Amino acid sequence: MTEPAPDSAATSAAAAARHADRYGTKPPARRLWLMVLLGVGVVAAGFVVAYLGFQKYGPKAIETEQLGYVVVDDATLDVRIKVTRDNPQQAVVCFVRAMDRDGAEVGRREVLVPGSDSTSVQVATTVKSSARPSAGDIYGCSDQIPDYLRVSDR
């Protein structure tokens, strides 16, 4: 024998009631404003990271390049450097150092690079050291010149 077909309307209503009991009657609300706010936050964070990266790794106002060095004797090192400035009229001070075989600093010299018409200038200097130097290095350059290196207007 065949069984009677269940009432499809009653079955659908019962299935819907079971579904509502299990999952609730409303679908979860999508919070569009939260997604937009999150997107704006991610874009803003991207701009902040790009700005900080540009500040640290972007072009600098004073760029230096070591052209070479010669160990003259056990206490002297001659160093040649190239300084490139955005504003060539501005004087800068560069810190050149002598290092021993282990990489320890054994001598340092502050070099005044006066303003000029050219954006790039080459400078040669001699660094006296407390031990035999084996390498020369440019520690850095700055436009903050100490008073004792300034040329007086007397």
Side-chain angles (χ1 to χ4, degrees):
M1 273 199 200
T2 58
E3 295 185 24
D7 184 12
S8 63
T11 306
S12 306
R18 282 194 311 271
H19 186 272
D21 285 344
R22 182 176 291 171
Y23 300 110
T25 56
K26 284 181 127 181
R30 299 224 184 231
R31 301 199 175 161
L32 182 62
W33 63 270
L34 183 62
M35 294 302 225
V36 169
L37 186 64
L38 184 63
V40 168
V42 167
V43 169
F47 278 120
V48 168
V49 168
Y51 175 77
L52 293 175
F54 182 77
Q55 290 293 344
K56 183 166 179 90
Y57 299 111
K60 303 203 175 10
I62 305 168
E63 296 281 339
T64 59
E65 179 182 352
Q66 181 175 330
L67 299 176
Y69 62 88
V70 174
V71 177
V72 178
D73 58 31
D74 286 346
T76 310
L77 180 76
D78 287 339
V79 181
R80 289 186 319 119
I81 63 173
K82 178 179 173 183
V83 179
T84 305
R85 300 168 281 194
D86 286 348
N87 181 5
Q89 305 301 325
Q90 182 180 21
V92 297
V93 61
C94 292
F95 303 96
V96 181
R97 61 186 183 167
M99 297 178 301
D100 66 5
R101 291 182 74 159
D102 297 329
E105 182 177 302
V106 293
R108 178 182 288 214
R109 171 108 191 241
E110 297 170 340
V111 180
L112 178 65
V113 182
S116 70
D117 295 330
S118 176
T119 56
S120 293
V121 293
Q122 293 184 14
V123 178
T125 188
T126 300
V127 180
K128 294 293 184 180
S129 62
S130 60
R132 180 164 179 83
S134 65
D137 184 34
I138 304 168
Y139 186 75
C141 290
S142 172
D143 58 356
Q144 304 296 318
I145 301 171
D147 289 336
Y148 59 87
L149 284 179
R150 293 184 188 274
V151 178
S152 63
D153 296 330
R154 294 179 201 173

